């Protein structure tokens, strides 16, 4: 009897063990078939080599950098509730939380989200995994006009109108820190970038709002329109006596109003890839802000790019891709300035980038590109830059 | 001594084996009205109410295979599955005829805010009439910028199903 019982246990165990092994030892396809697991783990990384090419007798060292390594985690509590988090190591030594939010689905049309979220503006602030874009570095429109990776804490709703093939996202979040420790965070050259709070002990004077609508009704086509409205935050409002007109006026001169609008398009057809984007930001109260903080932020920031890519291996019998691409990009953080600010034409920058991306596997890419950089100033010389990169995503 | 060793080993194998066995996703949560209406449309020509959908097997990947029977005759198959997207899972079903050709594919529930473009019915139409698991090859399926993981995931599942159905 005892022996029969043991044999039974061994048989059950072996059957179960063999069953599990069948799944675990499968090929790539069967490994991705993970079934209903609560935890999803992934990540992406970008390792760069940059070399500025000098036209004169000045030598520049090359730069080599583990630009970013990000791990992401998604945990599903049940059918409708999940938590999403991304932890980023930037330049090896800097650690950030890039996203950390709870999402609860009420129905297809309505999800409730709360936590540290990406601001839905343009393409790359939402889709910035390195193998998803051409070129070693991200586009500079998505650095100096949209300060990617732009994320703040707040609440929002998102969902899909399936019949119309429309996805929407709407959120209320804290804004940029425009003035802290007696200093302004915005500048003429970098725009709003220095004011990102990134969810690290953020503070808020007033709520800001962001929205995006995306149309995906035609196969391969994605059209997006994004908007942001609000104002920067300022530490000068802490402990502010609202009856003190002088202090109130002083605090009012440390904030700016922000209205940003973006349109973008992506289209894939066989080996052909097209994408483009235009972003404009109108900044108000810059005159007072620039005087108070001794800064030079522009009254208007704008930028655009257009890019064409083609898979040169499309006719070959291989799953690898070799994408040749060309991109024209212009961004100007001084599109317009107030009366007290000198319009700096060196902030009106143009970049032509052409290069190759070799997708050696799904999610793994080796990149090369060459950039010709210029600006609108009369004394400007064109400069050139050579970039190599490793881009992965899993 | 022998029995102790055998008992310990057996229990260990049984426990490890049992732990390795995954929980199975339950397709009962799906909206079967949608599936039934598409089965009627694509597989049943005569009496729309006179057919059965019977489970014939499931895999621990969360894929459920059903056969569609009309008047005692097999008319085709329905397969339901849950596949991973970037942070979550999505549910889909596929209807196949007796030659294992895809008649219809629909993403019935997409949970997250990335990769939702794969639920576009126009995009899903390109899977119709596929029989061979060639989806892993590039250019077989239209790429979608921003939905790379979900496209790859769906293609991997369809590949798996098309191969697996041949064993039924």
């Amino acid at each position: 009897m005892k022996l029969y019982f043991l044999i039974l246990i061994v048989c059950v165990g072996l059957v179960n063990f063999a069953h599990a092994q069948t799944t675990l030892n499968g090929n790539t396809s069967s490994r991705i078939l993970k079934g209903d697991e609560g935890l999803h783990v992934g990540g992406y990384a970008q390792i760069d080599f940059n070399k500025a090419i000098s036209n004169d007798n000045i030598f520049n060292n090359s730069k080599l950098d583990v630009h970013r390594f990000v791990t992401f985690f998604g945990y599903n509590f049940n059918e409708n509730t999940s938590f999403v988090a991304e932890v980023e190591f930037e330049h090896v030594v800097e650690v950030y939380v890039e996203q950390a939010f709870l999402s609860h689905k009420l129905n297809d049309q309505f999800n409730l989200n709360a936590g540290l979220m990406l601001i839905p503006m343009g393409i790359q602030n939402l889709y910035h995994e390195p193998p998803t874009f051409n070129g070693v570095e991200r586009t500079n429109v998505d650095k100096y006009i949209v300060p990617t990776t732009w994320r703040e804490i707040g609440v929002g709703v998102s969902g899909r109108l399936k019949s119309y093939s429309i996805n929407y996202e709407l959120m209320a979040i804290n804004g940029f820190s425009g003035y802290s420790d007696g200093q302004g965070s915005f500048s003429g050259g970098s725009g709003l970038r220095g004011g990102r709070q990134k969810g690290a002990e953020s503070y808020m004077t007033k709520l800001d709002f962001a929205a995006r609508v995306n149309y995906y009704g035609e196969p391969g086509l994605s059209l997006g329109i994004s908007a942001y409205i609000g104002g920067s935050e300022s530490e000068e409002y802490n402990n502010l006596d609202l009856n003190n007109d002088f202090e109130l006026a002083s605090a009012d001169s440390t904030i700016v109003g922000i209205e940003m609008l973006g349109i973008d398009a992506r289209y894939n057809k066989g080996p052909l890839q097209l994408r483009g984007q235009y972003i404009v930001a109108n900044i108000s109260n810059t005159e007072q802000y620039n005087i108070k903080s001794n800064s030079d932020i522009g009254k208007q920031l704008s930028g655009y790019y257009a890019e064409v890519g083609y898979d040169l291996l499309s006719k070959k019998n291989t799953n690898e891709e070799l994408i040749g691409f060309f991109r024209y990009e212009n961004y100007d953080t001084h599109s317009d300035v107030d009366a007290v600010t000198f319009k700096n034409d060196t902030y009106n920058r143009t970049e032509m980038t052409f290069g190759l991306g070799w997708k050696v596997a799904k999610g793994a890419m080796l990149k090369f590109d060459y950039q010709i950089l210029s600006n609108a100033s009369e004394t400007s010389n064109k400069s050139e830059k050579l970039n190599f990169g490793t881009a992965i995503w899993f | 001594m022998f029995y102790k060793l055998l008992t310990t080993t057996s229990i260990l194998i049984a426990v490890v084996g049992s732990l390795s066995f995954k929980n199975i996703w339950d397709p009962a949560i799906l909206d079967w009205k949608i599936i039934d209406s598409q089965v009627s449309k694509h597989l049943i020509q005569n009496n729309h109410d006179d057919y059965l959908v019977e489970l014939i097997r499931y895999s621990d990947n969360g894929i459920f295979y059903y056969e569609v029977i009309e008047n005692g005759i097999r008319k085709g198959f329905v397969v339901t599955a849950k596949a991973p997207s970037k942070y979550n899972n999505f549910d889909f079903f596929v209807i196949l005829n007796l030659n294992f050709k895809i008649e219809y594919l629909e993403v019935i529930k997409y949970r997250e805010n990335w990769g939702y473009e794969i639920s576009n019915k126009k995009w899903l139409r390109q899977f119709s009439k596929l029989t061979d698991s060639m989806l892993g090859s590039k250019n077989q399926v239209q790429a979608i910028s921003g939905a790379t993981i979900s496209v790859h995931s769906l293609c991997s599942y369809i590949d798996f199903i098309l191969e697996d159905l041949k064993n039924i």
Side-chain angles (χ1 to χ4, degrees):
Chain A
M1 184 65 194
K2 202 172 182 179
L3 189 59
Y4 285 131
F5 178 65
L6 283 175
I7 290 169
L8 183 66
I9 291 177
V10 171
C11 288
V12 169
L14 284 176
V15 166
N16 283 346
F17 195 73
H19 190 69
Q21 290 301 302
T22 307
T23 305
L24 295 173
N25 292 336
N27 57 17
T28 311
S29 292
S30 62
R31 266 187 274 123
I32 203 171
L33 308 182
K34 289 185 289 188
D36 187 22
E37 292 176 350
L39 183 65
H40 287 219
V41 180
Y44 63 87
Q46 173 183 342
I47 300 144
D48 303 337
F49 168 93
N50 311 107
K51 171 73 179 169
I53 310 288
S54 242
N55 288 329
D56 41 35
N57 242 357
I58 297 168
F59 181 82
N60 288 304
N61 283 328
S62 305
K63 193 176 90 176
L64 301 93
D65 187 26
V66 180
H67 198 143
R68 49 180 63 90
F69 172 62
V70 179
T71 52
F72 63 71
F73 305 94
Y75 186 79
N76 307 320
F77 295 94
N78 57 37
E79 269 297 298
N80 297 316
T81 309
S82 59
F83 178 72
V84 171
E86 287 190 359
V87 179
E88 175 176 34
F89 295 87
E90 204 162 297
H91 312 297
V92 178
V93 292
E94 298 170 26
V95 183
Y96 299 101
V97 176
E98 205 164 79
Q99 294 187 73
F101 67 92
L102 187 67
S103 180
H104 181 66
K105 189 185 187 88
L106 297 172
N107 53 47
D108 273 347
Q109 293 80 39
F110 201 80
N111 292 272
L112 191 61
N113 310 311
L116 179 67
M117 297 179 287
L118 298 174
I119 309 300
M121 175 60 65
I123 300 172
Q124 281 193 5
N125 201 53
L126 292 173
Y127 305 100
H128 47 243
E129 291 81 0
T132 66
F133 58 85
N134 288 320
V136 174
E137 303 288 351
R138 292 175 180 173
T139 49
N140 277 327
V141 171
D142 292 294
K143 181 176 181 182
Y144 293 104
I145 311 299
V146 181
T148 303
T149 307
W150 183 12
R151 69 277 192 190
E152 299 295 351
I153 295 176
V155 293
V157 292
S158 60
R160 271 179 301 288
L161 308 174
K162 281 165 99 173
S163 320
Y164 302 98
S165 299
I166 281 175
N167 185 73
Y168 76 91
E169 203 170 350
L170 180 68
M171 61 176 67
I173 58 271
N174 69 261
F176 294 99
S177 169
Y179 196 89
S180 62
D181 298 327
Q183 287 188 322
S185 313
F186 304 138
S187 68
S190 299
L192 303 163
R193 191 169 180 79
R196 294 174 301 164
Q197 300 202 65
K198 305 174 185 174
E201 296 187 275
S202 304
Y203 68 97
M204 186 170 72
T205 310
K206 286 178 183 170
L207 266 179
D208 287 15
F209 300 92
R212 178 175 168 84
V213 174
N214 197 61
Y215 171 74
Y216 58 97
E218 293 301 318
L221 178 69
S222 182
L223 294 172
I225 181 161
S226 318
Y228 182 94
I229 187 161
S232 64
E233 327 291 8
S234 167
E235 283 189 348
E236 293 294 293
Y237 284 93
N238 264 345
N239 299 316
L240 180 68
D241 179 1
L242 294 174
N243 294 319
N244 186 328
D245 290 343
F246 176 76
E247 280 189 15
L248 189 59
S250 174
D252 284 346
S253 65
T254 61
I255 56 169
V256 296
I258 301 163
E259 291 172 3
M260 193 181 289
L261 186 71
I263 51 170
D264 58 79
R266 289 166 285 167
Y267 183 64
N268 287 18
K269 178 79 176 174
L272 182 68
Q273 305 174 356
L274 301 171
R275 65 167 61 191
Q277 176 174 281
Y278 173 73
I279 308 281
V280 60
N282 290 315
I283 315 293
S284 59
N285 200 40
T286 56
E287 192 168 327
Q288 287 194 53
Y289 179 88
N290 284 334
I291 292 169
K292 172 77 177 179
S293 59
N294 194 25
S295 187
D296 62 342
I297 185 170
K299 205 165 82 173
Q300 187 181 73
L301 293 67
S302 66
Y304 64 90
Y305 70 80
E307 181 187 292
V308 57
Y310 194 88
D311 177 13
L312 302 169
L313 297 181
S314 61
K315 299 271 194 305
K316 302 282 181 190
N317 184 25
T318 171
N319 279 332
E320 294 180 6
E321 294 176 37
L322 184 65
I323 300 162
F325 75 96
F326 173 75
R327 180 171 63 237
Y328 183 88
E329 184 176 11
N330 174 268
Y331 55 102
D332 186 359
T333 45
H334 265 185
S335 275
D336 194 8
V337 292
D338 56 54
V340 299
T341 304
F342 165 73
K343 189 174 191 308
N344 190 336
D345 286 335
T346 61
Y347 297 156
N348 181 357
R349 289 155 278 192
T350 298
E351 298 179 2
M352 286 188 283
T353 308
F354 50 92
L356 290 169
W358 181 22
K359 276 193 184 173
V360 291
K362 291 273 181 196
M365 200 168 179
L366 295 166
K367 295 180 175 183
F368 152 78
D369 66 57
Y370 196 81
Q371 293 184 295
I372 300 168
L373 318 170
S374 62
N375 63 58
S377 105
E378 287 177 4
T379 56
S380 162
N381 287 324
K382 281 185 179 169
S383 61
E384 283 142 43
K385 206 172 164 189
L386 183 67
N387 306 300
F388 290 94
T390 299
I392 61 109
W393 183 22
F394 57 92
Chain B
M1 181 63 190
F2 170 73
Y3 275 114
K4 273 189 180 173
L5 188 65
L6 191 59
T7 307
T8 311
T9 310
S10 306
I11 290 172
L12 195 65
I13 291 172
V15 168
V16 171
S18 300
L19 286 178
S20 307
F21 196 83
K22 292 178 180 178
N23 289 329
I24 298 295
W25 163 70
D26 184 1
I29 60 158
L30 295 177
D31 186 347
W32 276 87
K33 280 183 188 167
I34 296 174
I35 300 174
D36 280 340
S37 71
Q38 293 300 334
V39 167
S40 293
K41 193 171 168 186
H42 293 280
L43 294 182
I44 309 297
Q45 282 90 41
N46 303 322
N47 187 343
H48 283 206
D49 298 325
D50 190 20
Y51 68 89
L52 296 169
V53 176
E54 288 187 350
L55 179 68
I56 46 178
R57 64 174 288 200
Y58 60 83
S59 75
D60 63 345
N61 298 322
I63 304 174
F64 287 69
Y65 299 85
Y66 304 83
E67 62 179 347
V68 178
I69 300 166
E70 185 187 23
N71 296 326
I73 300 166
R74 180 190 270 181
K75 305 294 286 188
F77 304 92
V78 179
V79 184
T80 64
K82 183 172 206 169
S85 48
K86 187 176 178 184
Y87 297 114
N88 212 313
N89 301 299
F90 62 90
D91 304 336
F92 69 91
F93 71 93
V94 55
I95 296 172
L96 304 104
N97 66 21
L98 290 173
N99 299 318
F100 307 120
K101 276 188 181 173
I102 293 177
E103 291 286 340
Y104 184 76
L105 170 64
E106 181 171 340
V107 175
I108 203 165
K109 193 167 190 180
Y110 198 91
R111 294 176 177 81
E112 68 176 283
N113 214 27
W114 280 268
Y116 51 81
E117 293 92 341
I118 66 160
S119 57
N120 180 354
K121 288 186 179 177
K122 279 190 190 171
W123 183 80
L124 288 168
R125 272 183 211 151
Q126 65 189 308
F127 288 80
S128 293
K129 306 304 174 194
L130 273 174
T131 50
D132 296 321
S133 52
M134 292 292 289
L135 295 170
S137 309
K138 66 175 181 177
N139 299 331
Q140 282 284 324
V141 172
Q142 175 95 48
I144 303 177
S145 179
T148 312
I149 288 179
S150 296
V151 170
H152 181 49
S153 179
L154 180 64
C155 289
S156 299
Y157 265 72
I158 296 294
D159 265 359
F160 186 91
I161 290 166
L162 289 171
E163 281 298 309
D164 210 26
L165 263 177
K166 291 173 186 169
N167 300 323
I168 289 177

